[in-house]
Amino acid sequence: MATCSTGCAPAVRLCQRLNRLKTLDGDMMATSLKRCLSTLDLTLMGVGGMVGSGLYVLTGTVAKDTAGPAVIISFVFAGIASLLAAFCYAEFGARIPKTGSAYMFTYVSVGEVWAFLIGWNVILENMIGGAAVARAWSGYLDSIFNHAIQNFTETHIMQWNVPFLAHYPDLLAAGILVFASVFISFGVQVSSYLNHIFSTISMGVIAFILVFGFVLADPANWSQEQGGFAPYGMSGILAGSATCFYAFVGFDVIASSSEEAKNPQKAVPVATAISLGLAATAYILVSCVLTLMVPWRTLDPNSALADAFFRRGYSWAGIVVAVGSICAMNTVLLCNLFSLPRIVYAMAEDGLFFSIFARVNPVTKVPVNAILVFGILMAGMALIFDLEALVQFLSIGTLLAYTFVAASVIVLRFQPEKTNSNDTTTTSPNVNAEVSPAPSESQTITEDSEEPKQYESFSDKLQLVERQKTRERRGVGHLKAYWEPYLDRLLGDCEPGEVVAFCVMTLIVSSVSLCAVLEFGNGQLQFPVWCFTMLLVIFTSAYVLSLALIWIHEPQRNNQTFQVPLVPLTPGASILFNVFLMMKLSLLTWIRFTVWIAIGLFVYFGYGIWHSKEGLRELQPKDMAARYVVLPSGSLVETVQSVQPDGQVVTSAHQISSSAAPTAAEAAGKR
């Protein structure tokens, strides 16, 4: 047994290092960045991040190749899944107003290695998003000049026929990214003002598209002669939803900007709700107009809306749409270039990524190094990759980030809050639980009968301690009082939040298993009916049981910031929805994703785990705390004192008594 313990010790220490949590500072509003963004600024950032190339390009691509006119339903499903995820992002952004988005949320609740992988994927998500927008921007501008730019590049520069790459290097897309990166480095206010201008023009063009498009609508384009409303069936609708997720990924720029918001507790939830509602409405109505204007089989995937007006004989309207689309795509480009360097900055600030990216320009208050380096990398991706490959690769990273954020909401909701080690106490078992002072002989406590009762005997005081212990057991992360008589013997010995964390893991595993059976059970795996049914029952039961076990525990109740409603049901549904959409993505997308994860693990184990600030914090000497109860002169006293390793008393951290607490030496003497 001793040999096994000695041999397992390195593995245990490694697991502890991989799953250590981030310690937040006491002052959540303290930052080296500049807090200058209002609710309107965040809302327009969210709208700008979502309404761009997805509206002008993705609607035509999904309608023609995946879902047909039923792309409307695909956007509805993707919008619902995004709404569930947006709730989770809004709670975290209001509660933890720090840059880093999903990376930061995972770090404070799940663990370091998971946070790094999520941050690594969010970096890829923003790089691909910016590159895809730049490609779409270039394609739209090229369509205005009758593809003159493409023809010139292929004829006089170069072209290639390599799988998964574009047919020619898009120099225009790469150039616009480099130019925008330089512009973003001037400061957040400059970026915000420019985003206001582009967003206003874009919303005006969208209003024009809806009004004029419904005038030109022809219901015959949804008829059976043209292929019907849902030519690819429910499978095509769901596959379209997985790709349409790309349209809504921009709302996380609001959470990424929370460290630069004036009042993040109020601004982040309001901006998230308004921007997501506006974007979802715009996508559904525009896709309806597009498929009613022209037959869905004839849509041009590169410039669907502008081409539709051109083909109906309104070339001037097509030019208006093209100009509006360029403005909209500029807003998405700005949002991607805005949020990407801040996530890199957050990871570098925590020591998990190269420290050069943690430097903030003292004048502009932005991480200039991260902006320029990753802007150039994004330009390189836009130069060689085509739009479709970029979009499919983007969705899987987004869905994974949403899944971990939803899981983090559950874990953190049922976990006792921790304060900074600089405070007088290192941890608080339950900040929401009221600590009732133990009365002295001269104090009285009012019982349910509202008659004052005097506590004078020693036995009465011990009964009071037992009642306080019972009340503390019902704190955050413990069983609710109603369920204690039934499940206390089974679950009562667990640490606060331990059962919930295990249930969240079971929730994710059962969701993956259930969705895999639904997606592949009758197809590739060809399960018999009895086996298919049995697996559905088992994994569904595990999913429901996990939610039930989480629900019977006491959550945190915080009325000061926004909280996700119906926890754990809302984040649990988000996890299930996200996992199901991930199963709809192609095998090649999963292979690319696996390669990217492998590269990330190489970076983490080669650099991040050795330079982690949380790891360095663990190496520093820690205060030791002594807690004991003494009964001097007939009064009940609980004393907590922090003691340094050399035995010197530093502070008296906590005391519950009406009289002064004795020192450690006096307590020992009385014993």
Side-chain angles (χ1 to χ4, degrees):
M1 182 67 71
T3 304
C4 180
S5 301
T6 304
C8 295
V12 172
R13 287 196 297 268
L14 177 61
C15 290
Q16 291 174 345
R17 294 175 68 181
L18 296 180
N19 293 283
R20 56 196 171 201
L21 303 180
K22 179 177 175 60
T23 303
L24 295 173
D25 295 330
D27 185 6
M28 298 294 290
M29 297 296 288
T31 177
S32 58
L33 303 178
K34 185 177 182 180
R35 289 196 179 274
C36 58
L37 299 178
S38 64
T39 304
L40 178 62
D41 295 329
L42 294 178
T43 302
L44 290 178
M45 276 190 178
V47 172
M50 288 182 279
V51 180
S53 59
L55 184 74
Y56 294 95
V57 178
L58 197 63
T59 49
T61 302
V62 176
K64 182 176 182 180
D65 300 331
T66 309
V71 63
I72 300 170
I73 303 178
S74 296
F75 275 116
V76 171
F77 286 167
I80 293 173
S82 297
L83 179 63
L84 297 176
F87 277 139
C88 302
Y89 272 80
E91 173 172 335
F92 269 115
R95 183 174 176 178
I96 307 173
K98 297 292 184 180
T99 190
S101 189
Y103 156 77
M104 180 65 65
F105 307 154
T106 307
Y107 203 173
V108 299
S109 57
V110 179
E112 184 173 284
V113 66
W114 310 106
F116 178 86
L117 292 178
I118 292 300
W120 187 249
N121 278 285
V122 172
I123 290 175
L124 180 66
E125 168 195 325
N126 282 275
M127 288 178 62
I128 291 176
V133 171
R135 295 283 309 194
W137 189 96
S138 173
Y140 250 86
L141 187 64
D142 197 20
S143 67
I144 297 177
F145 298 102
N146 197 24
H147 302 287
I149 300 174
Q150 177 181 350
N151 295 332
F152 178 83
T153 304
E154 292 180 346
T155 303
H156 297 90
I157 300 179
M158 66 181 303
Q159 62 174 325
W160 55 65
N161 292 315
V162 180
F164 316 121
L165 298 182
H167 296 297
Y168 66 98
D170 198 334
L171 299 175
L172 180 61
I176 188 61
L177 280 170
V178 173
F179 177 78
S181 299
V182 174
F183 197 90
I184 287 288
S185 63
F186 290 146
V188 61
Q189 285 184 317
V190 176
S191 306
S192 179
Y193 293 150
L194 192 61
N195 181 69
H196 285 194
I197 297 173
F198 287 140
S199 296
T200 303
I201 297 175
S202 176
M203 288 187 286
V205 172
I206 291 173
F208 167 79
I209 292 172
L210 295 179
V211 173
F212 198 29
F214 275 116
V215 172
L216 301 176
D218 184 4
N221 290 322
W222 286 4
S223 63
Q224 291 297 326
E225 289 77 9
Q226 297 293 343
F229 179 75
Y232 298 99
M234 182 57 68
S235 177
I237 293 174
L238 294 177
S241 297
T243 304
C244 288
F245 231 83
Y246 165 71
F248 298 102
V249 300
F251 73 79
D252 63 351
V253 70
I254 299 175
S256 299
S257 308
S258 59
E259 191 166 340
E260 293 162 282
K262 297 177 182 177
N263 184 12
Q265 286 77 17
K266 176 183 177 182
V268 171
V270 172
T272 301
I274 295 176
S275 60
L276 186 62
L278 291 175
T281 302
Y283 275 110
I284 293 170
L285 292 179
V286 168
S287 58
C288 181
V289 165
L290 178 64
T291 53
L292 285 173
M293 285 178 59
V294 294
W296 61 270
R297 296 179 186 274
T298 63
L299 291 173
D300 182 3
N302 293 322
S303 55
L305 278 170
D307 184 70
F309 281 103
F310 274 115
R311 290 170 51 199
R312 293 299 299 268
Y314 297 93
S315 57
W316 61 271
I319 295 175
V320 171
V321 172
V323 172
S325 68
I326 290 176
C327 291
M329 285 183 278
N330 282 337
T331 62
V332 181
L333 207 59
L334 289 173
C335 289
N336 278 281
L337 287 170
F338 182 88
S339 59
L340 171 60
R342 281 153 179 81
I343 294 168
V344 175
Y345 160 79
M347 297 176 66
E349 182 71 13
D350 292 332
L352 301 185
F353 207 51
F354 305 111
S355 59
I356 189 175
F357 299 122
R359 299 176 185 172
V360 176
N361 187 284
V363 178
T364 60
K365 298 292 184 181
V366 295
V368 176
N369 292 338
I371 292 174
L372 296 179
V373 171
F374 282 87
I376 294 173
L377 291 176
M378 196 183 297
M381 295 182 69
L383 186 70
I384 60 175
F385 287 106
D386 67 336
L387 180 62
E388 184 177 356
L390 291 172
V391 169
Q392 286 191 358
F393 200 7
L394 171 68
S395 297
I396 189 169
T398 305
L399 291 168
L400 184 68
Y402 289 175
T403 301
F404 267 83
V405 170
S408 299
V409 165
I410 302 176
V411 171
L412 208 60
R413 180 69 66 88
F414 292 88
Q415 192 177 70
E417 287 191 9
K418 296 181 179 180
T419 59
N420 187 23
S421 59
N422 294 330
D423 298 339
T424 55
T425 55
T426 55
T427 59
S428 175
N430 180 12
V431 296
N432 300 309
E434 296 180 358
V435 179
S436 300
S440 65
E441 295 182 12
S442 61
Q443 288 180 309
T444 60
I445 291 183
T446 303
E447 295 290 330
D448 295 337
S449 61
E450 297 186 0
E451 295 181 1
K453 178 181 178 181
Q454 189 78 17
Y455 287 95
E456 297 179 351
S457 68
F458 178 72
S459 60
D460 284 337
K461 291 167 183 170
L462 291 182
Q463 292 174 7
L464 177 61
V465 172
E466 184 63 28
R467 279 199 297 273
Q468 288 178 337
K469 181 180 178 182
T470 302
R471 184 185 308 167
E472 186 177 337
R473 259 201 347 258
R474 295 176 185 173
V476 174
H478 288 283
L479 283 172
K480 293 181 178 178
Y482 178 81
W483 297 100
E484 279 191 359
Y486 309 101
L487 298 173
D488 185 64
R489 183 171 299 178
L490 180 63
L491 304 176
D493 294 334
C494 298
E495 293 294 326
E498 185 178 356
V499 176
V500 173
F502 177 79
C503 289
V504 170
M505 186 183 303
T506 306
L507 193 70
I508 295 176
V509 172
S510 60
S511 298
V512 172
S513 303
L514 178 61
C515 294
V517 171
L518 288 172
E519 179 65 21
F520 308 113
N522 288 330
Q524 291 90 327
L525 300 180
Q526 295 182 349
F527 287 145
V529 176
W530 68 268
C531 182
F532 180 79
T533 305
M534 182 183 68
L535 290 176
L536 286 183
V537 171
I538 292 174
F539 295 135
T540 302
S541 301
Y543 179 85
V544 174
L545 181 61
S546 299
L547 290 177
L549 286 176
I550 295 171
W551 177 76
I552 64 176
H553 286 78
E554 285 287 351
Q556 292 183 10
R557 292 178 174 87
N558 185 0
N559 297 324
Q560 297 180 353
T561 60
F562 172 79
Q563 285 194 314
V564 178
L566 301 177
V567 173
L569 183 60
T570 300
S574 177
I575 291 173
L576 186 62
F577 215 137
N578 297 333
V579 170
F580 183 74
L581 292 179
M582 290 173 71
M583 295 293 176
K584 304 296 293 185
L585 298 174
S586 65
L587 177 62
L588 184 59
T589 301
W590 279 97
I591 294 175
R592 295 170 182 162
F593 173 74
T594 304
V595 172
W596 180 252
I597 288 292
I599 297 173
L601 289 174
F602 179 79
V603 173
Y604 174 74
F605 286 104
Y607 181 87
I609 194 172
W610 307 106
H611 296 82
S612 169
K613 289 188 176 180
E614 289 301 320
L616 298 177
R617 191 194 305 269
E618 291 177 355
L619 297 177
Q620 297 175 354
K622 297 181 179 178
D623 292 348
M624 295 184 296
R627 177 185 292 269
Y628 50 89
V629 177
V630 294
L631 301 172
S633 304
S635 63
L636 182 63
V637 178
E638 180 184 9
T639 302
V640 180
Q641 293 183 330
S642 297
V643 183
Q644 289 287 8
D646 59 1
Q648 180 183 359
V649 177
V650 179
T651 57
S652 178
H654 182 56
Q655 180 174 327
I656 304 178
S657 176
S658 60
S659 61
T663 64
E666 293 173 347
K670 291 180 183 295
R671 288 181 180 177

